[in-house]
Amino acid sequence: MRLILGFSLAILAILFGAQLIRRPLKFSLIRLSSLLSPIVIAAILVYWSASQYFLWLNSDSPARFLLPPHQDIGYFFYYVFFRFWATYLISLIIAILFFIAAKFLNKKYQERFFYEEEPYLLAASIFLVGHPGWIFYLLFLLIAALILSLVIGHRLSRRVSLYYLWIPVAILSIIVSRWLSALPIVKYLSI
């Protein structure tokens, strides 16, 4: 999991850097990074699944009896699905739902809520923090938005954009979720 953790942090750093560059290149880089991250993580998960298969196949331990012809291949797929794939599949589904909702609401209210690239930042952040990290991410984002609105929004008498908070809060969520994973509620939420 450290490989995916490192990749997630690297992509989030790239996305944050992309936010700081000029407008024409910014949207393309953010969209490309957001769309490629599930593909790269899927490739890593395929590699891990294949490695697990060959580890069991070439093992002298009883693990080799968990593969065909001794056992149905369905057991292996079940094992790798819940061992490797499920957490990122859940976070991908949640990310897609939030992306669709953000695009829909933004379009419905005449681009009032988000800049063009913000739904991509939100979706990429939710996906890259994984499951159950996305729950912490949304909670931390809500707290940060509330504090920002109370402190800065009150002074400016207008809405405050979360544009530069999407990625830093995602990075914070990844770091903090490592510590929070020891809590019983988090163990219950984990797959």
Side-chain angles (χ1 to χ4, degrees):
M1 288 297 183
R2 288 186 180 177
L3 178 63
I4 289 183
L5 179 67
F7 172 76
S8 297
L9 290 172
I11 289 296
L12 289 170
I14 289 169
L15 287 170
F16 188 68
Q19 285 182 288
L20 303 175
I21 63 176
R22 292 184 169 249
R23 193 92 179 132
L25 183 60
K26 179 189 299 194
F27 180 66
S28 299
L29 185 59
I30 288 173
R31 189 172 60 181
L32 181 66
S33 298
S34 298
L35 295 175
L36 282 179
S37 57
I39 295 168
V40 173
I41 287 186
I44 293 169
L45 296 176
V46 165
Y47 172 75
W48 285 352
S49 300
S51 296
Q52 185 70 53
Y53 181 84
F54 290 113
L55 179 70
W56 284 0
L57 182 66
N58 299 322
S59 175
D60 289 334
S61 71
R64 71 175 180 270
F65 296 112
L66 297 173
L67 296 174
H70 308 289
Q71 184 74 263
D72 182 33
I73 192 70
Y75 175 79
F76 174 75
F77 287 136
Y78 177 83
Y79 176 82
V80 296
F81 177 77
F82 282 103
R83 178 82 170 114
F84 302 130
W85 290 85
T87 60
Y88 285 98
L89 189 60
I90 290 170
S91 65
L92 179 65
I93 291 168
I94 300 299
I96 290 170
L97 291 174
F98 271 88
F99 178 80
I100 291 169
K103 293 287 269 186
F104 173 76
L105 290 173
N106 208 32
K107 185 176 182 180
K108 183 177 180 179
Y109 292 101
Q110 293 83 32
E111 312 293 323
R112 173 187 284 173
F113 298 121
F114 305 109
Y115 291 107
E116 185 179 22
E117 60 271 11
E118 281 187 274
Y120 292 95
L121 295 170
L122 172 63
S125 297
I126 289 172
F127 174 69
L128 291 171
V129 297
H131 175 75
W134 65 270
I135 298 169
F136 299 120
Y137 172 70
L138 294 177
L139 181 66
F140 295 154
L141 195 63
L142 183 65
I143 292 168
L146 182 64
I147 291 170
L148 197 64
S149 294
L150 289 174
V151 173
I152 296 176
H154 179 69
R155 286 186 193 159
L156 300 176
S157 299
R158 61 184 172 117
R159 287 180 299 137
V160 178
S161 173
L162 300 178
Y163 186 79
Y164 291 105
L165 282 180
W166 301 113
I167 303 303
V169 172
I171 293 169
L172 174 71
S173 299
I174 288 174
I175 293 168
V176 171
S177 67
R178 306 291 287 175
W179 289 309
L180 294 176
S181 63
L183 295 175
I185 186 90
V186 177
K187 290 181 180 179
Y188 180 72
L189 292 171
S190 299
I191 291 182

